[in-house]
Amino acid sequence: QSALTQPASVSGSPGQSITISCTGTSSDVGDYNYVSWYQHHPGKAPKLMICDVTKRPSGVSNRFSGSKSGNTASLTISGLQAEDEADYYCSSYTSSSTFVFGTGTKVTVL
Amino acid sequence: EVQLVQSGPEVKKPEESLKISCKASGYSFSSYWIGWMRQMPGRGLEWMGIIYPGDSDTRYSPSFQGQVTISADKSISTAYLQWSSLKASDTAMYYCARRGGYGDYWFDPWGQGTLVTVSS
């Protein structure tokens, strides 16, 4: 099972919007609406930001949104803030009844 | 409050065995899958495997099958990740996380992580 492909880094200025892509295959991202996104600040526990492609858990800012088209899912952060600077990982359920994570994207707020 | 508290950092030598733990509280431990993830230094998260404490049904990533053992003790609401013979390449941060309920395919919350260092 290969890791889902994410860009290594994405950056933006405060207030801007950025989008992180997550590309898998027809056996994971493309086969299920079970993509989730996690925010990971170094030294802290990862935090669930988006589940089931588009759903925001309680307490997560509405500046975070998710979408999917074919084998590629995306996370958009609008109104970028300094506190959004972190690593972001996508994850998908797979046809093998396992899970796979993305390669991770470092978000930098300029 | 749902919480997962992991055991403390470990420093071990190659070929030694190790068992790290993840203690759950605030919910019915037997009714939710618990997953384990690895993060090697400077690398991304990797999914290792998952266990359903209710019946000990366990699934492993092909990359970790045979390399680690995942188990759980319902009586003390604790999941475990163990190695029989550590390698230097097992040096990493390990996280446990609760999978959502039936029909949910995400992980929340996560434990604080256990740093395992393997060095001669």
Side-chain angles (χ1 to χ4, degrees):
Chain A
Q1 183 74 54
S2 297
L4 307 175
T5 301
Q6 298 180 230
S9 62
V10 173
S11 62
S13 299
Q16 285 188 328
S17 293
I18 62 170
T19 297
I20 302 167
S21 61
C22 168
T23 301
T25 70
S26 57
S27 297
D28 39 62
V29 175
D31 202 16
Y32 301 95
N33 287 324
Y34 297 143
V35 175
S36 50
W37 289 90
Y38 303 88
Q39 178 190 65
H40 190 199
H41 287 107
K44 302 185 78 173
K47 176 186 177 184
L48 176 68
M49 304 302 284
I50 295 287
C51 59
D52 296 344
V53 178
T54 62
K55 297 176 183 175
R56 240 182 353 263
S58 174
V60 173
S61 171
N62 58 9
R63 298 185 298 103
F64 291 83
S65 61
S67 63
K68 191 187 90 165
S69 178
N71 295 339
T72 298
S74 298
L75 173 72
T76 297
I77 309 174
S78 57
L80 200 61
Q81 298 180 2
E83 68 210 47
D84 300 331
E85 188 161 291
D87 296 321
Y88 291 82
Y89 295 90
C90 60
S91 175
S92 176
Y93 186 63
T94 82
S95 59
S96 302
S97 301
T98 60
F99 289 82
V100 61
F101 278 88
T103 51
T105 298
K106 181 176 181 59
V107 168
T108 301
V109 181
L110 301 171
Chain B
E1 179 194 6
V2 176
Q3 252 191 324
L4 299 176
V5 178
Q6 297 184 229
S7 48
E10 300 275 1
V11 179
K12 306 291 277 186
K13 292 182 173 14
E15 299 182 15
E16 289 187 329
S17 62
L18 176 65
K19 192 173 190 178
I20 62 175
S21 66
C22 170
K23 182 166 178 59
S25 62
Y27 73 97
S28 174
F29 179 69
S30 297
S31 302
Y32 292 80
W33 294 81
I34 293 275
W36 284 95
M37 276 61 72
R38 180 177 80 175
Q39 185 174 35
M40 299 175 74
R43 307 291 293 273
L45 295 170
E46 300 172 89
W47 187 81
M48 302 176 71
I50 198 166
I51 187 167
Y52 188 74
D55 60 7
S56 293
D57 186 8
T58 309
R59 317 278 170 82
Y60 292 93
S61 161
S63 300
F64 292 94
Q65 180 83 48
Q67 308 303 307
V68 296
T69 301
I70 294 171
S71 60
D73 185 338
K74 290 187 291 187
S75 69
I76 55 171
S77 300
T78 301
Y80 300 98
L81 177 65
Q82 69 179 90
W83 296 259
S84 58
S85 181
L86 287 161
K87 310 179 192 65
S89 57
D90 292 317
T91 294
M93 182 72 85
Y94 293 87
Y95 293 98
C96 64
R98 191 189 79 165
R99 186 186 137 181
Y102 180 79
D104 293 329
Y105 297 89
W106 37 263
F107 293 95
D108 181 63
W110 292 57
Q112 83 278 18
T114 295
L115 181 62
V116 174
T117 304
V118 183
S119 174
S120 53

